[in-house]
Structure formats: structure tokens, C-alpha cells
Amino acid sequence: MGFSRSGLGVGLAGSFDTAVTRYRPQMLSGARGQQFLMTCDIGGSLKGQAYETYSFLMLDLDRNSRWLAGQSLFRREVLPQRRRMCFKAMNDALRRRALAPFLGLADELDGVLVTFVVDKVDRPDLSVSTEVAEELATFWKPAVIDRLMWVSYLGAFLVSGFVLAGQDVMFILDEDEVASNVPQLTKLTEVFGRACSNQEGMPMMRHLRCGTTKSDDGSLALEDLNALPDLAAGAIGELTDVLRRQGLGPLAPILQRLPLSVTWKTRMIMPWLMRRGRSLTRFVCVIDGGSTPSKWRATIPEWWVVEDPTRLAT
């Protein structure tokens, strides 16, 4: 199994092949499930932020009965009243108390969480033809189309490396501006299907479907799974923006204390996100450096947590 070298894979595949070989995800070992689920969330959309973040959680539903049982208990005993775990809404007391147990529960997942940090200026050009742009403009504003293309191409790249031939693939997004109504969701399914079919060496999937967290069966399991990329995208987006304002960047090669200006939630999420050796494998990939394949770069940094949990190294 390897990652496609088509499209964004030209710059991404080498880094991901190396990282997956070095930190072999448990999900890729042993028998795979029939239902592959990928859920995604986007961060960094505020005007002053220098980076956008695209976070994807991938897992085989068949191999995660332990997490599902724990999630049911979490909803009964820790976070009742159907509250949603969301980075932007983490300020009420109940959610604050629930964050640590929620992240601890996530460690039980057998899957992979990948978060891309994409420079808003020095980045590959994913602009579409005039004809396609006019077609998509019926459903989305230009700025949303740009994020849609990034979600589709990054998602298709990840599918090329983590999906096994014959699996059913379900791609779940939050009900945000990319998939806020049925016509958008229908068109998104078409766009994502095209992106997958354009990946060289893509495994032959059985079925491909796209949906939103509204498809939840009432257990809030989809909501809670989608909350993990939401938390990751939000925390990394906040951290990288603070580092930039301090004259640093996401690849600054120094040991540094987490900036005092980051919020308590980022201070809690980042050490969790950098852990190695759990069943949930976590990668962060930084994309920057230019608009052409010969210039832009994709880097998976070696981040780790040191003794002081408020410190982070690259």
C-alpha cells in the first residue's frame, strides 16, 4: 500500500510513505473492516490568520466497538444534554470538564488523525478552469470553492493511502459552508468522487458516499468523531498563528515553551495531539513554500512533548 503521486501527491507522497513506515498505524495491521469512515473539519478561516488547517480522522468502523461503547458511557455520565464538543464552544464549565476525558477516550480509537497546516499565500495553486469555476459558483462563493478543492484533494490523497480495495468509504463533514444543504452535499460527492478517480493507483472502492454530521443515528457518535478533527484544526490553527506573530513558524527548529497567549484548550489539546505509540496515530503536515510543484514543500515535523506539559519541541 502506497500513496498516490498524482496531484498534491507529487509533494505529499514521499513524506507520508516515510512517516507511515516509521510510525506504522495500528489500523493498517491485521484484518481491515468493511466500512471506512473519514471525517473532516477546517480551521483558520479568520481573515488575520496566516494558515488554514484541514484535519481528517480515518478509521474502520468495524474495528472500533470499544470506542463506541466508551462513547455511549461518556455521553451518559460526562457530557449529557446533547452538548457538542467544539473548539469554538469550549468555554462553558461542562465542556471544560469534559475535554480531558474526551481526549482520553479518543486514545482508544483504532485510526489515524492527519492535520494539514497550509500557508494561505505560499501554497500550491488549486485553481480550477473557468468552466468548472462557473459550474461550482452555482453552489459556493469563490473563497468556499478554494476550501472545497483543498478538502477534496487532500481527502482523496489520504484515501489513496489508507483505504483498502473493496472497502465502502463514507466521507463525513460538519454542516458548515461546504456542505450546508442537500444540493451542496450532492455536488460535493461528485467533486470528491472526481478527485478520487484522478488519483493514480487508487484502490478500487466498493461504494463512496458523502454525508454530514446530521446523518448521526442519535448516539452522537458521528458528532463526537467529527469533534476530534475540529479540536485538532482549531488548536493547531491557534498555535501556528501565535507563533507567526512572534516571528516564528510551524517548523521553527527550536525547543520552545507554548506561548502564554494560547488558550487553555490549545494548551491541553497540543500535548495530546503530539503523543506517539497509541492506537490512534497522529500526524501533522505543513504545506508551504510556493505555488508550483518544484517550489512548494510538505513537511511532517517531529514534534514531541517534554516533561513540562506546556512545552513543545520540533
Side-chain angles (χ1 to χ4, degrees), residues 228-246:
L228 292 170
D230 174 277
L231 295 173
I236 292 181
E238 180 187 333
L239 175 63
T240 53
D241 192 56
V242 169
L243 291 177
R244 179 189 64 84
R245 285 190 267 113
Q246 294 186 354

Side-chain angles (χ1 to χ4, degrees), residues 238-297:
E238 180 187 333
L239 175 63
T240 53
D241 192 56
V242 169
L243 291 177
R244 179 189 64 84
R245 285 190 267 113
Q246 294 186 354
L248 301 170
L251 297 178
I254 60 174
L255 181 67
Q256 57 195 16
R257 183 179 295 278
L258 281 170
L260 295 177
S261 56
V262 300
T263 58
W264 69 271
K265 53 191 175 182
T266 292
R267 197 171 296 280
M268 182 176 289
I269 293 167
M270 288 306 301
W272 171 83
L273 195 59
M274 295 304 108
R275 290 179 192 164
R276 300 287 188 190
R278 305 289 183 118
S279 59
L280 178 64
T281 304
R282 285 149 268 202
F283 297 115
V284 174
C285 179
V286 179
I287 296 177
D288 64 2
S291 60
T292 64
S294 62
K295 292 183 179 179
W296 70 271
R297 61 184 178 178

Side-chain angles (χ1 to χ4, degrees), residues 138-140 148 173-191 210-212 214-215:
T138 305
F139 302 90
W140 296 282
L148 167 70
L173 294 94
D174 193 7
E175 292 179 89
D176 59 10
E177 57 190 359
V178 173
S180 60
N181 54 54
V182 172
Q184 284 184 344
L185 183 58
T186 301
K187 193 63 178 179
L188 168 66
T189 304
E190 178 186 331
V191 171
C210 294
T212 70
K214 191 176 181 180
S215 306

